[in-house]
Amino acid sequence: MTSRFLVGVGVLAAVGGTLCGTAAAQQLGQILQHAQERRAKPPANPNMSRIRTPGDYRFSFVHDGITREYLVHVPASYRGAPTPMLVALHGGGGDADFQADDSKYRLISKSDAAGFIAVFPNGYSRFSSGILATWNAGACCGKAQENNVDDVGFLREVIQRVERQAKIDRNRVFMTGMSNGGLMSWRMACEASDLIRGIAPVEGTDNTLHCTPSRPVPVIEFHSLDDDHIPLNGGKGVSALTDTNFASVPATQAKWVQLNGAQPQSNRVLTVAGAHCDLHTRKPGGAPVELCLTDSGGHSWPGGGAQQGRKQPSMAISANDLMWSFFSSL
């Protein structure tokens, strides 16, 4: 799948952000350099057609009066047996095609290697093409949040549709997301824990307004020490394109250790040059909470490819490998 990511002079108004200093202006310039990555997209199938064979599929449906899209990648190993599903949410100002671009996030390759079905929903966009989309993650982000778009309902419907289209193991439906998409995965854990088995937010903290999960949701979170969009210790990122006062990583971890009934003390479970992971094991009836920190990489996907408008990601760890190992252990 190739990206149709597009930016222009109206990018800030479209995502509902505000330039925050010289660093953000420089980032916008970097994004503009990649406008040539836009590709024409094939039409989406408005019918909930059955998925019987491996391949790439594009579907659309109307939710809450808005036409929304989602992409599905079915690995070559799929033969119709119950299969795990990973729902991957793009960052703010991106789209489903951008998140499905294997040169950036390598989730298609991981789907093929691990044998899970990858689903890429598109956030709320004011444009019919779906570009410059955002997610209503609670206290953030963009027009999705400003217009109180029902993204929880949309994502619930995406999951339920794919479960009817393909043979999905309903006990192994997981979610990940980048930045605003990571924020949205926390909200889904809060409000759709009946569908979501575990989440893996990347560079996105919990900025939900309310959180009452019906059951514990295992979490593995990824963040960079030098993230200048969503700072480790919270607040407004100096390079962010939004004025959001983000929750910190420590506060997010403490919140979910309590919600999940995990052990208050963590254990160091991985140490490599440039990164480490700490795990709060679950108590009886609870769920684990893990945090993987990279020393560098900024606001990017660890182990991914070149990130548009961002630093080169840390290659100390692979978020894809670690999240799938975590999910597979549940």
Side-chain angles (χ1 to χ4, degrees):
M1 295 180 180
T2 54
S3 171
R4 66 176 187 276
F5 191 73
L6 174 66
V7 293
V9 293
V11 63
L12 298 179
V15 301
T18 302
L19 273 175
C20 300
T22 303
Q26 291 173 341
Q27 182 201 13
L28 179 58
Q30 289 177 317
I31 295 174
L32 288 169
Q33 292 177 6
H34 291 270
Q36 69 272 20
E37 292 189 15
R38 186 188 184 193
R39 299 288 187 271
K41 63 168 184 172
N45 183 353
N47 302 308
M48 198 173 63
S49 304
R50 290 283 298 174
I51 297 173
R52 304 183 187 280
T53 59
D56 294 325
Y57 301 83
R58 185 184 301 268
F59 299 98
S60 67
F61 65 95
V62 176
H63 177 79
D64 204 22
I66 305 170
T67 299
R68 307 289 295 268
E69 284 189 1
Y70 61 99
L71 314 181
V72 181
H73 175 77
V74 181
S77 59
Y78 180 73
R79 295 293 183 272
T83 303
M85 175 168 64
L86 177 67
V87 181
L89 308 180
H90 62 77
D95 59 25
D97 290 270
F98 194 73
Q99 190 70 25
D101 187 338
D102 214 42
S103 71
K104 293 178 173 57
Y105 296 100
R106 298 177 177 166
L107 285 166
I108 299 295
S109 295
K110 187 61 182 178
S111 165
D112 289 336
F116 61 81
I117 290 176
V119 179
F120 304 92
N122 211 92
Y124 169 72
S125 171
R126 294 185 296 163
F127 304 99
S128 60
S129 62
I131 62 172
L132 300 173
T134 54
W135 300 103
N136 179 8
C140 188
C141 295
K143 295 300 180 183
Q145 186 268 336
E146 290 176 22
N147 295 337
N148 195 27
V149 173
D150 181 22
D151 278 328
V152 171
F154 165 62
L155 291 172
R156 290 183 70 95
E157 190 166 351
V158 167
I159 292 169
Q160 291 165 344
R161 284 172 66 95
V162 178
E163 287 179 344
R164 294 194 295 271
Q165 290 177 287
K167 195 70 172 179
I168 300 297
D169 183 344
R170 296 187 177 185
N171 294 318
R172 302 187 68 199
V173 175
F174 307 106
M175 182 169 284
T176 186
M178 173 65 196
S179 189
N180 182 200
L183 271 66
M184 189 66 209
S185 71
W186 291 111
R187 187 175 179 193
M188 289 296 289
C190 292
E191 300 183 37
S193 58
D194 56 313
L195 297 180
I196 305 296
R197 180 72 178 92
I199 64 169
V202 180
E203 306 300 337
T205 52
D206 182 348
N207 288 259
T208 56
L209 302 177
H210 309 282
C211 189
T212 55
S214 60
R215 64 180 181 183
V217 179
V219 172
I220 180 169
E221 180 181 8
F222 299 88
H223 215 92
S224 172
L225 295 177
D226 66 348
D227 188 336
D228 54 3
H229 288 63
I230 301 179
L232 180 79
N233 292 316
K236 298 178 182 179
V238 297
S239 296
L241 296 178
T242 177
D243 201 36
T244 302
N245 189 24
F246 291 105
S248 72
V249 171
T252 296
Q253 286 283 300
K255 174 180 179 177
W256 279 88
V257 166
Q258 182 176 19
L259 284 171
N260 276 351
Q263 296 290 347
Q265 296 300 319
S266 63
N267 299 313
R268 184 65 49 89
V269 292
L270 177 68
T271 302
V272 296
H276 64 271
C277 299
D278 294 327
L279 173 67
H280 295 266
T281 57
R282 71 178 185 90
K283 296 179 183 177
V289 177
E290 186 169 347
L291 172 64
C292 293
L293 294 174
T294 60
D295 295 347
S296 63
H299 195 66
S300 62
W301 192 275
Q307 302 292 304
Q308 184 163 346
R310 305 188 184 105
K311 293 181 180 180
Q312 182 66 24
S314 170
M315 303 306 290
I317 57 174
S318 164
N320 294 343
D321 290 348
L322 289 177
M323 77 171 69
W324 199 251
S325 177
F326 178 84
F327 291 153
S328 298
S329 71
L330 300 176

